[in-house]
Amino acid sequence: MADTQDSRPDDSRVVIKKYANRRLYNTASSSYVTLDHLAEMVKQGVDFVVYDAKTNEDITRTVLTQIIFEEESREGQNLLPIQFLRQLIGFYGNSMQAFLPSYLELSLATFAQQQERMRSQLASLGQGGGMAAYEEQIRQNLALFDRAMKMFSPFAYSRPDEAPPKPEPAPAASSASDETLNALKRQMEEMQAQIEKLAKR
């Protein structure tokens, strides 16, 4: 029996057709769309699948990768650190390649959960006691990221704000993390000020 799971999308998924002229056609809205449109659909949580109009091949992964490339090419939009990209490339053909996709999905899902907690804590900022909880959340996120990267490459990875790993780390090495924490605090204070301005409009 042929497996039709990849060739037939769920009823809830929007079907996008990509034609030879590289144009993308949204069959749900009966209109041509761009990669920017698809990126916005992703951000809105719209599930879609992209097929090659000629071969009917599922090319969703390729199109999503193109969206990431476009976003990374924009100034100030970079999300993927150089070190992470180097390590990611190194995993192609590696014995750990089969395990990495599931691990990355789990890591991002965990990060998304942490983000939701941070958003809920932002609501308590300015009401007293909120900043201390927020600082602790930042520390937990930094620790989570460190553990995630070091699990796959314990000797090669270090955050840009940290010194290269030493055989016996000194206790004073936490100063770099404190600087990162202070920078994040400043960014969140700026964001909070912007939110307050928008709320007054």
Side-chain angles (χ1 to χ4, degrees):
M1 175 182 280
D3 185 3
T4 59
Q5 182 176 1
D6 292 335
S7 59
R8 291 180 177 273
D10 297 336
D11 293 339
S12 60
R13 300 169 73 184
V14 175
V15 174
I16 308 294
K17 293 282 187 177
K18 186 174 183 180
Y19 290 90
N21 58 7
R22 303 185 68 180
R23 298 191 71 183
L24 298 163
Y25 185 77
N26 186 331
T27 60
S29 62
S30 299
S31 61
Y32 286 100
V33 294
T34 64
L35 289 178
D36 286 338
H37 290 135
L38 295 186
E40 191 60 33
M41 289 172 66
V42 171
K43 295 174 183 177
Q44 293 175 0
V46 178
D47 192 10
F48 62 83
V49 60
V50 185
Y51 290 116
D52 185 294
K54 183 177 181 179
T55 65
N56 205 36
E57 177 187 1
D58 186 340
I59 56 174
T60 308
R61 184 190 306 274
T62 301
V63 171
L64 291 176
T65 304
Q66 290 176 344
I67 292 174
I68 293 174
F69 176 79
E70 292 290 334
E71 293 290 344
E72 287 288 316
S73 298
R74 295 173 182 171
E75 186 175 354
Q77 290 288 97
N78 311 105
L79 288 180
L80 303 177
I82 296 294
Q83 180 66 12
F84 173 80
L85 291 173
R86 293 183 189 278
Q87 289 183 280
L88 189 61
I89 292 171
F91 279 116
Y92 284 98
N94 188 290
S95 59
M96 297 296 292
Q97 179 176 345
F99 302 98
L100 187 59
S102 297
Y103 180 80
L104 290 177
E105 284 185 346
L106 178 61
S107 298
L108 284 176
T110 303
F111 183 82
Q113 293 174 358
Q114 295 284 348
Q115 185 182 42
E116 287 301 318
R117 292 178 186 175
M118 289 174 65
R119 287 176 179 173
S120 65
Q121 289 174 356
L122 277 176
S124 65
L125 291 178
Q127 300 177 3
M131 184 56 73
Y134 177 68
E135 291 176 0
E136 178 60 27
Q137 192 66 61
I138 292 176
R139 291 184 185 278
Q140 291 179 9
N141 286 341
L142 289 173
L144 176 66
F145 182 76
D146 281 347
R147 288 196 301 270
M149 295 305 294
K150 289 175 181 176
M151 177 178 292
F152 279 95
S153 186
F155 302 108
Y157 172 74
S158 62
R159 288 203 312 270
D161 58 342
E162 291 181 337
K166 298 178 181 179
E168 295 183 1
S174 61
S175 60
S177 296
D178 292 337
E179 292 178 6
T180 301
L181 178 62
N182 291 333
L184 288 172
K185 284 172 56 179
R186 287 194 297 270
Q187 292 177 6
M188 292 311 304
E189 289 172 357
E190 293 174 0
M191 289 176 60
Q192 183 67 21
Q194 293 176 359
I195 293 173
E196 292 176 355
K197 288 181 181 179
L198 291 174
K200 292 178 182 179
R201 291 183 180 179

